[in-house]
Amino acid sequence: MVHDQRDMGSCQYDRFLGMGPCNRRIHLEGLPHHRNIQRETCNPLGMQRHTVLLPVGAEYGANMRKVYVLLIILVGFFQLTGCVTSEPLAWRDYGINAVWPPPPNPPRVRYLRDLKGPDDVLPQKGNITRFIEFVTGEDGTKIEFISPYGVASNGKSVVYVTDVAAGLVHKYDLATRTVSYLSQVGEERLVRPAGVVVDREENVYVTDAGQAKVYKFDRNGTYLFALAGTFQRPAGIAINSRGEKFIVDVLAHKLKVYDVQDKFVRDFPQEDSRISLNLPSNVAIDRNDDVYVTDSMNFKVKVFDHAGNYKYSIGEIGDAPGSFARPKGIAVDGDGHIYIIDASHENFQIFNREGKLLLFVGRSGTGPGEFSLPSGIHIDAQNRIFVADTYNRRIQIFQYETEGGTR
C-alpha cells in the first residue's frame, strides 16, 4: 500500500517544477490487480478521498458455477463464429486535417490523432463479451490518464506514458489493441513516475521522482531492478547510440550517466565545468550523441557534446516566439531539428541545429494541436511526435514530414 502524505507546501513545489497537477492524485492498493483505488484531492481547504471498490472475486461455489456457464457459452460461441481478431488501431484519424504551417506553405507537421485513455485503444466489445463479463462478474480494470507527464515508444506500436498522479506507467499496444500498466517494483510501488525511455532491446527505464530511484523493466513489463546510486529527484532520461543512459537529477542540478550495463559512469557536465544548470528537467540526445538539456530556471536549452563540453544554448526568457517561460520536454527528429515544449506558451517550438526558430505548433485549448500545460515529448524512428498534453489528460500524436514526404 502506498499513501502520499505530502503537505500543501510540497504540493505547490511539485506544481512549480511541473510534475503534473498537484491536486489530482491517486492511491493504488492491492496492486498488481488494481482492485482498490482511492483518489485524493489536495486543496487549501483539506483532503477529499474518493474510493472505488472493484470486484475481487467470489466464493468457491459461485466461481465454479461461473466457470461452468462460461465454458458452455464459449463452446457454443466458437462453434458458431470461430475466433475473432481486432484490427490494429490506425495511427491517423483521417477525419481531421490539421497541418503546420498552414497552406499554401508545404506542411512540416501533420496532426495524426490523440489517445485519451484505454477506450481509444481497446477494441469494442461485442454482445458475447459483454454477456460473459456479466456472467462472471469480471471486467478488465481500466485506468484513465490523470496527469500524463512523460511519453516514449518502442518505435513500433507500443506507447508508454508515465502518470505522476496515478503512480504508474500506462502501456498501450496499438497493434494488438491491448492496455496494461507498470506499477510494481519489487516490494514497492511506483509513486511519481516522471521520465521513461526504451532501449534497443525494448527494455523500459522509468524515473520515479517520489521514490528517488530509476527502475528497469523488460519488454513484457516485468520488473528487473533499480539502478544503483543516489538520486534526489530523477526526472528526464535519454539513451544515446552507445546505450548510455543520461538521467536528469533536478535537485542535484546535474545529470548522471550510466553505461550499457547500467553501471554509473560519471556526472554530467563534469564537476569542474564552468557551465552550471539550474533545476534541469528533461534531456534528449541526437544521432551525433550531442546532449540537449532543458535548463528550466535559466529558461533555455543547453547543448553539450558527448564528453560534456558546452557547445551553445537555445532560447531565453520571454513570451515571444523563440523564447521560453516554462521549458519542459525536449526531443530531436531524424533531421536533427530540436523540439521544445513550453508549458506556459502551450506549444512546442522547433529549432534547427544553430538554434534558429523554424516553426511553433500549438495554442491553448482542447482541440487538435491545442494544449493545456503540456509536459513531455518524444519522437520515434518514424518521426512520429508524441506530446503529453497534461491538463487535457491525453497524448497527441503528430507526424514530421520531410521535404521529400513522410519517411
Side-chain angles (χ1 to χ4, degrees), residues 16-17 277-280 294-300 317 325 327:
F16 171 74
L17 287 185
L277 300 172
N278 189 359
L279 294 179
T294 304
D295 193 4
S296 298
M297 293 310 296
N298 284 322
F299 304 97
K300 60 184 63 179
I317 187 172

Side-chain angles (χ1 to χ4, degrees), residues 101-264:
N105 303 289
R108 289 292 174 261
V109 175
R110 182 180 299 277
Y111 177 85
L112 295 182
R113 67 167 305 126
D114 65 8
L115 299 174
K116 295 187 176 72
D119 288 336
D120 284 344
V121 177
L122 296 171
Q124 291 186 350
K125 298 177 182 179
N127 292 332
I128 295 295
T129 301
R130 293 192 184 96
F131 182 67
I132 291 174
E133 290 177 352
F134 172 77
V135 171
T136 62
E138 294 291 338
D139 186 6
T141 301
K142 296 185 295 185
I143 302 177
E144 304 293 334
F145 291 139
I146 299 177
S147 182
Y149 184 84
V151 58
S153 76
N154 68 348
K156 302 171 186 175
S157 64
V158 180
V159 180
Y160 296 89
V161 181
T162 61
D163 197 319
V164 295
L168 51 76
V169 179
H170 305 261
K171 179 183 178 182
Y172 290 179
D173 190 327
L174 277 60
T176 62
R177 305 288 292 274
T178 56
V179 173
S180 57
Y181 307 94
L182 310 182
S183 59
Q184 185 78 24
V185 284
E187 298 300 319
E188 301 176 328
R189 316 281 193 213
L190 294 175
V191 176
R192 291 178 65 77
V196 59
V197 71
V198 182
D199 69 13
R200 283 172 291 190
E201 286 72 40
E202 298 189 24
N203 297 306
V204 183
Y205 294 82
V206 178
T207 66
D208 191 325
Q211 295 280 26
K213 294 180 180 179
V214 179
Y215 300 108
K216 182 178 182 179
F217 300 81
D218 69 15
R219 62 187 299 172
N220 298 315
T222 302
Y223 170 67
L224 299 177
F225 55 82
L227 273 60
T230 302
F231 297 90
Q232 296 184 46
R233 178 160 294 195
I237 181 171
I239 300 178
N240 67 11
S241 65
R242 314 174 195 203
E244 296 173 321
K245 274 69 67 176
F246 286 69
I247 304 167
V248 176
D249 195 341
V250 179
L251 299 182
H253 307 286
K254 62 184 178 183
L255 287 71
K256 295 191 175 187
V257 182
Y258 285 73
D259 63 18
V260 68
Q261 285 82 33
D262 299 318
K263 305 297 182 184
F264 175 74

